[in-house]
Amino acid sequence: MSLTLIITFIALLGSLYVFCPSSAELPWFEHPAKPDGSLSFLVVGDWGRRGAYNQTKVAHQMGIVGEKLKIDFIISTGDNFYDDGLTGVDDAAFFESFVNIYTAPSLAKQWYNVLGNHDYRGDVEAQLSPVLRDIDSRWLCLRSFIVNAEIAEFIFVDTTPFVNKYFTDPEDHVYDWSGIQPRKSYLANLLKVN
Ligand SMILES: *[C@@H]1O[C@H](CO)[C@@H](O)[C@H](O)[C@H]1NC(C)=O
């Protein structure tokens, strides 16, 4: 598990804050707050266990809390599919760990997902693929992106490629670094984002 999420809360005086895109721009999504100006959401990480390790029970409770809070969306901080990500867009784990687990009506909201190191041990492109969105429209997974939710701005940063040991000492694991090579320029470019 690695820290895969930086949340930036903008105070209500947020009009003073100006987003300045630099040479690298992140994909950007607008998510409206509630009509009363509030926002609520759940954050979950390290979850894809095909229902085991109490995942189903946690999902059930998420559904109850989600309804009470009238959540607007859900954030996943990564390690979405244990142990080794998805094998491809047709991996049944997408159903067994996501589609068929988070079935409560209150969880039928947009999910904003990022990748954890376990996800990099599988077919990373699969989780990023629009094919999964077609299967379940709640699913949105990108490496790094921004969600502007009116009263708060959420900045999602793909931090796994920053961790040296995954490259120098991967132990028995194989990481799928396709799409981030050459690593140096990938990281440099990401750090340039304002
Ligand atoms: C599930 O939760 C129970 C109660 O907290 C705990 O005793 C049990 O070890 C958990 N099961 C697994 C497989 O983690």
Side-chain angles (χ1 to χ4, degrees), residues 49-51 55 91-101:
R49 295 284 194 174
R50 293 185 158 93
Q55 187 195 1
D91 190 334
F94 185 64
F95 286 87
E96 294 165 2
S97 289
F98 179 67
V99 179
N100 298 343
I101 296 285

Side-chain angles (χ1 to χ4, degrees), residues 52-54 57:
Y53 294 91
N54 290 321
K57 287 183 181 169

Side-chain angles (χ1 to χ4, degrees), residues 35-57:
D36 69 0
S38 70
L39 192 68
S40 50
F41 55 92
L42 297 180
V43 181
V44 62
D46 305 272
W47 45 264
R49 295 284 194 174
R50 293 185 158 93
Y53 294 91
N54 290 321
Q55 187 195 1
T56 306
K57 287 183 181 169

